[in-house]
């Protein structure tokens, strides 16, 4: 059972799909692991450490994937890059299929079974395989670190002989996985933290972290399917905007993390709201990759407005912590692979009826098989 790990080719992708730790465990499951030279370099895992863990290090992606039964990656590899894989090989990565259906079709035509890790159901058994959570958790932490480094003042209250420094006021919009970690991190740094969400259940979680929960009375609860948020009605949006406008003007730092599955990120912070903030304030928009929660966000960049507000819109924020993000992502993959392998026989034994497999397999036997992925007409 040959398992291939390729170097990521997407611009700015720093992560890697396996670490020396997981390579050793994959070998334990019966895999002979082959890794493309330099695959772990940007995440600070040298080739020599992979070799010590039992992998063969090869010079090219083509050599790595040739004859492979399983290919592991962070981002969707191109069908071209997979030339020479064994027929029916598994390609496991975050495949980002929406809007990229033709690339998924090309994977189908290449004869691979493409598995999208981000489609993993959010059930207890699959928590250990949940790449959205593992990466969002780190992004939430990094958002606060980025905010603190752009903020030209201290976060905690400091009582010094020269007088008192007041604590920074941090407002977190969206209290899912990333938002809750941002709240916890900002609290640890000593900020006064408030947060909002449209799901009423988030209130208790926010308060248990010692932050203040803010929600408009006009909005009882906008929980949608599967614990996610639904889109707000126009009246609800207006009520939320009114509350946000009064609260934001008094904040030093705003961190936005709001997402709605399958929709562009909701716009929560208007240009006028940014203009109401004091010079030196910082906004970190974690939704930048999906269009941003802030009207003035420029995805991939940090910009400062004429009134002196810095808006940080970095994409792939988990990738800014390449080592930690790779460690968690690689463990997510390992945990999933563990369910696909017969440990006695040391070979693939996939139960195609398993709900984890059904939810994540996008292509099989030359065709797209996932009900949500349709080729555009
Ligand atoms: P997400 O990334 O889809 O969205 C981030 C947050 O933004 C969510 O809390 C959402 O409610 C909020 N949001 C959406 N629109 C908003 C708006 N207009 N204003 C303010 N906030 C808005 O969510 P997520 O982080 O993936 O988590 C979603 C839920 O799934 C949470 O309840 C989380 O605890 C749960 N979850 C469960 C599991 C599991 O059971 N295995 C794993 C991960 C997450």
């Amino acid at each position: 059972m040959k398992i291939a790990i390729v170097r990521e080719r997407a611009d700015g992708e720093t992560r890697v799909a396996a670490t020396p730790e997981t390579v050793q465990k994959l070998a334990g499951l019966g895999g002979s692991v082959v890794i493309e030279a330099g695959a772990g370099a940007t995440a600070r895992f040298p080739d020599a450490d992979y070799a010590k863990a039992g992998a063969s290090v090869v010079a090219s992606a083509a050599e790595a994937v040739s004859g492979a039964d399983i290919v592991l990656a962070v981002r969707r590899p191109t069908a071209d890059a997979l030339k020479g894989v064994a027929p029916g090989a598994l390609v496991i990565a975050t495949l980002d299929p929406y809007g990229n259906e033709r690339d998924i079709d090309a994977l189908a035509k290449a004869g691979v079974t493409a598995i999208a890790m981000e489609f993993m159901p959010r059930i207890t058994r699959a928590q250990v395989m949940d790449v959205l959570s593992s990466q969002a958790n780190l992004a939430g932490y990094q958002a606060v670190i980025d905010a603190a480094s752009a903020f030209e003042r201290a976060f905690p209250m400091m009582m010094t002989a020269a007088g008192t420094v007041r604590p920074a006021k941090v407002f977190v919009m969206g209290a899912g996985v990333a938002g809750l970690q941002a709240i916890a991190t900002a609290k640890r740094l000593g900020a006064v933290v408030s947060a909002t969400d449209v799901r009423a259940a988030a209130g208790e979680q926010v308060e248990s972290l010692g932050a203040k929960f803010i929600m408009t009375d006009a909005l009882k609860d906008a929980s949608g399917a599967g614990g996610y948020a639904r889109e707000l009605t126009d009246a609800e949006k207006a009520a939320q905007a009114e509350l946000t406008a009064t609260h934001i003007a008094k904040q030093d730092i705003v961190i936005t993390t709001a997402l709605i599955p399958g929709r562009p990120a909701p716009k929560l912070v208007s240009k006028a709201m940014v203009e109401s903030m004091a010079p030196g304030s910082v906004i970190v928009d974690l939704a930048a990759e999906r269009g941003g929660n802030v009207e003035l966000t420029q995805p991939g960049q940090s910009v400062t407005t004429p009134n002196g507000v810095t808006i940080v819109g970095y994409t792939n924020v988990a990738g800014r912590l390449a080592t930690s993000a790779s460690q968690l992502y690689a463990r997510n993959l390992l945990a999933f692979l563990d369910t696909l392998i017969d440990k006695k026989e040391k070979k693939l034994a996939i139960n195609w009826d398993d709900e984890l497999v059904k939810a994540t397999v996008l292509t099989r036997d030359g065709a797209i098989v996932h009900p949500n992925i349709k080729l555009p007409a």
Side-chain angles (χ1 to χ4, degrees), residues 17 22 49 60 86 95 107 153 159 185 218-219 224 249 265 276 299 323 334 373:
T22 64
D49 290 4
S60 68
L95 297 176
L107 291 177
R153 285 184 264 156
M159 307 239 259
T185 306
L219 184 66
S276 76
T323 307
L334 174 71
I373 311 298

Side-chain angles (χ1 to χ4, degrees), residues 55-144:
S56 317
V57 181
V58 295
S60 68
E63 267 177 274
V65 301
S66 168
D69 303 289
I70 303 170
V71 178
L72 304 179
V74 178
R75 305 256 178 174
R76 181 182 64 250
T78 60
D80 250 9
L82 294 172
K83 271 198 188 114
V85 289
L90 306 184
V91 174
I92 310 179
T94 48
L95 297 176
D96 189 21
Y98 296 119
N100 297 308
E101 290 81 359
R102 294 208 181 280
D103 292 339
I104 302 299
D105 192 47
L107 291 177
K109 300 261 156 50
V112 300
T113 298
I115 296 185
M117 284 304 285
E118 71 269 43
F119 278 24
M120 196 60 73
R122 291 187 130 174
I123 56 174
T124 307
R125 176 161 81 94
Q127 260 177 9
V128 59
M129 311 161 201
D130 182 350
V131 297
L132 291 181
S133 288
S134 74
Q135 305 302 292
N137 189 34
L138 289 168
Y141 161 83
Q142 183 65 28
V144 177

Side-chain angles (χ1 to χ4, degrees), residues 218-348:
L219 184 66
K220 295 285 171 272
D221 183 24
S223 296
Y228 290 105
R230 64 163 167 80
E231 193 162 21
L232 303 187
T233 63
D234 285 348
E236 287 171 337
K237 278 184 195 162
Q240 189 192 34
E242 198 183 314
L243 176 87
T244 306
T246 48
H247 191 64
I248 255 183
K250 296 174 249 158
Q251 301 302 312
D252 300 305
I253 312 269
V254 176
I255 293 171
T256 68
T257 76
L259 291 174
I260 302 160
R263 308 274 314 140
K267 285 278 178 275
L268 304 180
V269 180
S270 65
K271 182 165 177 278
M273 291 180 200
V274 174
E275 283 165 356
S276 76
M277 297 181 78
S281 306
V282 178
I283 301 176
V284 177
D285 189 346
L286 275 190
E289 215 154 304
R290 298 261 298 275
N293 292 138
V294 183
E295 209 180 330
L296 301 177
T297 293
Q298 301 208 13
Q301 291 182 44
S302 166
V303 293
T304 302
T305 63
N307 68 314
V309 177
T310 299
I311 304 174
V312 181
Y314 298 144
T315 49
N316 189 12
V317 176
R320 291 170 63 69
L321 293 159
T323 307
S324 304
S326 302
Q327 279 166 337
L328 297 189
Y329 181 82
R331 284 189 205 141
N332 292 144
L333 290 188
L334 174 71
F336 183 45
L337 272 175
D338 191 73
T339 70
L340 305 178
I341 291 172
D342 179 329
K343 274 145 233 139
K344 254 204 218 122
E345 300 284 324
K346 300 211 179 263
K347 60 177 201 209
L348 273 173

